[in-house]
Amino acid sequence: MLEDGRIYLGSSRDPEDAIKKGEYLDLTRANRHGLVTGATGTGKTVTLQILAEGFSEAGVPVFCSDIKGDLSGLSQRGEGKDFLVARAQDIGLDPYYQDLYPVVFWDVFGKKGHPIRATISEMGPLLLSRLMNLSDAQEGVLNIVFKIADEEGMLLLDLKDLQAMLAHVAENADDVSKLYGNVAKASVGAIQRSLLVLEQQGADNFFGEPALAIADLMRTDRDGRGIVNMLAADQLMMNPRLYATFLLWLLSELFEELPEIGDPDKPKLVFFFDEAHLLFDDAPKILVDRVEQVVKLIRSKGVGVYFVTQNPLDMPEGVLAQLGNRVQHALRAYTPREQKAVRTAAETFRPNPEFDCFEAITKLGVGEALVSTLDKKGVPSMVERTLIRPPAGRLGPVTEAERAQTMAKSPVAGQYDHAVDRESAYEMLIGRAEDQLAQEEEQRRLEAERKEEAARRADAARRREEEERDAPPPRRTRTGFQLPDFGLGGDGRDDTQEVEETEPAPRRRSAPRRRSSGYQRQTVTETIMKQVGRTVASTVTRAILRGVLGSLKRGK
């Protein structure tokens, strides 16, 4: 409930339990962050709900996580139950009315709200290393993977993109190591195994597109009331590391995207970090330093961060020092650690001489808290023992039908409900592999064609050799001259053959060779040819002479 630019938290009491005065949170100091602590069952969730209601009425958008489902009742009108009416009377809240507030449900797994996603690139290597609990060497390899992806223009959007890039770096580990230092395949394998665990836990639903736009968290409705963005975190809490890393990523995105505005009249957005101890459990120093830096600097961008946890010792001292608005519910002090926690909580308040803070913290009832907020000058108010006001919205979870109806009327309905898988590192590396495979296949095809051509030529040469080897020998006369067979196919006979083929010539005893005397005996054929030649020559000569002499005589 809002009064004069202040959110009404409840009413403080004096030592006689009489109503003392109202306790408020000034909107001009709401971006100075805050802390709500207390044991389980002491009323932290109700305090978170009334803060969200107050900021919404003031026109300030809110982001909070709903761990148990109780906060979802904000979307429905409250009920005037007896104990709520009695609390309103005890603190002098008149009139006490019920109301409902504009709520947008979100869910990383897309079951109880609109899917909420982030890309691998937006998460970055530092938060991913925290998410996967990597060693320093493995974190270094992950940084190299991001560097190579950035240089080669490959988008890292979802888990399969990161897995593909890790495989690419492992395949080229020798070349990568020459440029960026040693990249051990064992480190790559460890990261891949961690990614597999994340995928089995449902992180593949979170990484991808469309990524959440910060502007969609900073909406108001038609009446000017801030929209309460509620993250269904019951299933997400099964992986506390993913839950904490996601909220830290969101806080970092707010820090990077929002402009500097100084100290506004009211915050631009209020961020509630429930179960905040999960963020700092076993967190490396570099991550704690990052959180402290964001908490310090995001104030000037108009964002208020409120941590909700059980024990103030869950918060690092550097972060705890930045939280100016405090609501401390009951703590039990049965063990030395619990006693230390109570003492720490008591010492962080501005003392009130009317009561002892240490003793009061251990005796607070349900729905009762020690409250100290910053005044208009930024000075912490004196701590007061306060009865927290009853909520205006429903106290308790909504039904599935009510949740579905609220989601159908959401201003972002249909905007994030379907995943988009555009070309990124995975597709680009697959394309490269396919191109390389096609080139190798083409080279194998050309090599096969060359081998086939060479085999064909060798086979043709072999056939020619066989044909030449199997062809009949050329026909030759007894004188050694080769004669054409005139189509006889090699079976014709020459003019000197007189011996039947079927009767092989009798073997004659060869005459002893005589020593050559320079005269070679002519054959019968050669003798006949010479005689014919001489006869023809004589005849031609006589005819020529008669012709010549006859012409001379006629001339006389």
Side-chain angles (χ1 to χ4, degrees):
M1 297 182 181
L2 193 64
E3 295 181 14
D4 299 328
R6 300 181 300 170
I7 298 176
Y8 176 60
L9 302 179
S11 296
S12 57
R13 298 182 299 169
D14 58 22
E16 287 75 26
D17 284 342
I19 297 299
K20 185 176 181 181
K21 62 184 178 67
E23 299 297 328
Y24 299 88
L25 173 62
D26 198 306
L27 287 175
T28 60
R29 294 292 178 261
N31 64 332
R32 299 302 177 92
H33 314 314
L35 176 67
V36 180
T37 56
T40 301
T42 57
K44 296 192 303 295
T45 301
V46 174
T47 299
L48 195 159
Q49 180 171 341
I50 66 166
L51 285 171
E53 292 177 356
F55 282 118
S56 178
E57 289 182 359
V60 178
V62 173
F63 184 92
C64 60
S65 52
D66 189 9
I67 303 296
K68 298 175 290 185
D70 296 344
L71 281 177
S72 60
L74 266 172
S75 62
Q76 306 298 317
R77 189 176 301 276
E79 302 173 1
K81 296 183 178 180
D82 295 341
F83 69 95
L84 297 177
V85 173
R87 172 57 61 90
Q89 293 175 351
D90 290 341
I91 62 176
L93 179 59
D94 187 25
Y96 170 52
Y97 61 88
Q98 289 76 42
D99 201 356
L100 73 166
Y101 296 86
V103 173
V104 173
F105 291 112
W106 300 93
D107 185 2
V108 168
F109 303 98
K111 296 179 179 179
K112 295 185 176 181
H114 303 292
I116 188 168
R117 303 181 185 90
T119 65
I120 292 289
S121 297
E122 290 174 336
M123 183 66 69
L126 175 61
L127 292 183
L128 281 174
S129 299
R130 158 66 172 163
L131 181 59
M132 294 185 286
N133 197 25
L134 301 182
S135 65
D136 292 341
Q138 294 161 1
E139 182 180 347
V141 171
L142 191 60
N143 277 278
I144 292 174
V145 170
F146 273 76
K147 176 69 173 177
I148 294 174
D150 184 59
E151 290 180 346
E152 298 187 7
M154 296 185 183
L155 297 176
L156 297 178
L157 302 179
D158 49 27
L159 285 182
K160 69 177 186 297
D161 289 330
L162 184 54
Q163 290 166 341
M165 277 301 301
L166 286 168
H168 173 66
V169 170
E171 291 174 359
N172 301 275
D174 294 337
D175 296 334
V176 173
S177 297
K178 294 177 183 177
L179 295 175
Y180 302 103
N182 184 39
V183 176
K185 293 185 177 180
S187 296
V188 175
I191 299 173
Q192 289 173 325
R193 290 191 295 272
S194 297
L195 284 179
L196 179 60
V197 173
L198 277 182
E199 186 175 2
Q200 291 175 343
Q201 293 176 343
D204 54 331
N205 296 307
F206 172 61
F207 292 109
E209 289 187 321
L212 175 66
I214 296 300
D216 287 331
L217 299 179
M218 306 179 70
R219 294 174 178 265
T220 57
D221 67 0
R222 296 178 180 178
D223 299 328
R225 296 186 301 176
I227 289 181
V228 179
N229 299 275
M230 194 169 297
L231 176 67
D234 50 348
Q235 186 176 353
L236 187 59
M237 282 296 295
M238 300 301 293
N239 184 358
R241 195 178 294 272
L242 177 59
Y243 167 75
T245 305
F246 161 71
L247 292 183
L248 180 57
W249 162 80
L250 185 56
L251 196 61
S252 300
E253 287 294 301
L254 290 170
F255 172 71
E256 293 176 2
E257 293 192 17
L258 297 181
E260 295 280 345
I261 60 174
D263 286 325
D265 294 335
K266 61 182 179 182
K268 296 295 183 182
L269 177 71
V270 171
F271 188 94
F272 288 96
F273 203 136
D274 200 3
E275 300 294 340
H277 63 279
L278 297 175
L279 177 60
F280 303 104
D281 286 347
D282 301 322
K285 185 178 185 302
I286 186 173
L287 187 62
V288 175
D289 293 342
R290 173 64 174 170
V291 175
E292 183 176 347
Q293 179 189 25
V294 170
V295 171
K296 284 180 179 179
L297 300 179
I298 204 171
R299 173 194 61 79
S300 62
K301 299 193 175 189
V303 177
V305 181
Y306 288 74
F307 294 93
V308 183
T309 187
Q310 294 186 9
N311 195 321
L313 293 179
D314 297 334
M315 308 297 297
E317 290 185 2
V319 176
L320 194 62
Q322 305 299 319
L323 310 180
N325 301 296
R326 306 286 183 90
V327 178
Q328 175 66 62
H329 287 272
L331 288 175
R332 308 302 175 226
Y334 300 120
T335 66
R337 185 178 185 278
E338 291 175 341
Q339 293 175 359
K340 180 180 179 181
V342 173
R343 189 174 299 108
T344 300
E347 292 174 353
T348 58
F349 287 109
R350 179 182 171 184
N352 188 331
E354 294 181 354
F355 60 89
D356 179 72
C357 283
F358 182 90
E359 183 179 356
I361 290 175
T362 60
K363 296 181 178 180
L364 292 172
V366 176
E368 189 178 10
L370 297 184
V371 175
S372 175
T373 59
L374 299 177
D375 61 20
K376 289 186 177 296
K377 296 182 179 180
V379 178
S381 63
M382 188 178 298
V383 62
E384 295 288 352
R385 188 170 180 172
T386 306
L387 289 176
I388 302 299
R389 75 166 177 87
R394 179 188 295 177
L395 190 62
V398 296
T399 64
E400 293 299 324
E402 291 170 337
R403 184 183 295 271
Q405 185 179 13
T406 302
M407 290 178 60
K409 297 178 181 179
S410 169
V412 296
Q415 184 174 344
Y416 296 97
D417 294 341
H418 303 287
V420 176
D421 189 11
R422 62 185 173 118
E423 185 181 50
S424 51
Y426 173 79
E427 288 77 15
M428 294 177 68
L429 290 173
I430 289 294
R432 287 185 184 181
E434 290 177 349
D435 292 343
Q436 184 177 359
L437 185 62
Q439 292 177 0
E440 293 176 355
E441 185 66 26
E442 181 66 16
Q443 291 177 356
R444 286 195 293 269
R445 186 186 66 80
L446 294 176
E447 184 66 23
E449 288 181 354
R450 286 194 294 268
K451 290 182 179 180
E452 184 179 354
E453 180 64 21
R456 187 164 53 249
R457 291 180 179 178
D459 186 60
R462 180 181 56 79
R463 287 198 300 268
R464 285 196 298 270
E465 291 177 357
E466 291 178 352
E467 290 175 356
E468 292 176 358
R469 186 174 62 250
D470 296 340
R475 296 176 65 249
R476 296 181 181 275
T477 64
R478 291 178 181 176
T479 59
F481 294 97
Q482 179 177 350
L483 296 178
D485 58 6
F486 298 103
L488 296 178
D491 293 333
R493 304 180 185 277
D494 62 24
D495 57 343
T496 62
Q497 284 181 321
E498 298 177 355
V499 183
E500 296 290 338
E501 293 180 357
T502 57
E503 296 180 3
R507 186 175 183 182
R508 296 181 180 180
R509 186 175 180 180
S510 61
R513 296 181 61 184
R514 295 181 180 178
R515 186 174 183 180
S516 174
S517 60
Y519 171 78
Q520 184 175 3
R521 186 177 180 178
Q522 296 179 345
T523 63
V524 175
T525 304
E526 291 174 340
T527 302
I528 294 173
M529 292 298 291
K530 286 182 178 181
Q531 290 176 355
V532 172
R534 292 191 189 102
T535 302
V536 172
S538 297
T539 303
V540 172
T541 301
R542 285 196 296 270
I544 294 171
L545 289 174
R546 280 197 297 271
V548 172
L549 292 177
S551 62
L552 292 175
K553 289 179 180 182
R554 286 192 295 272
K556 292 180 177 180

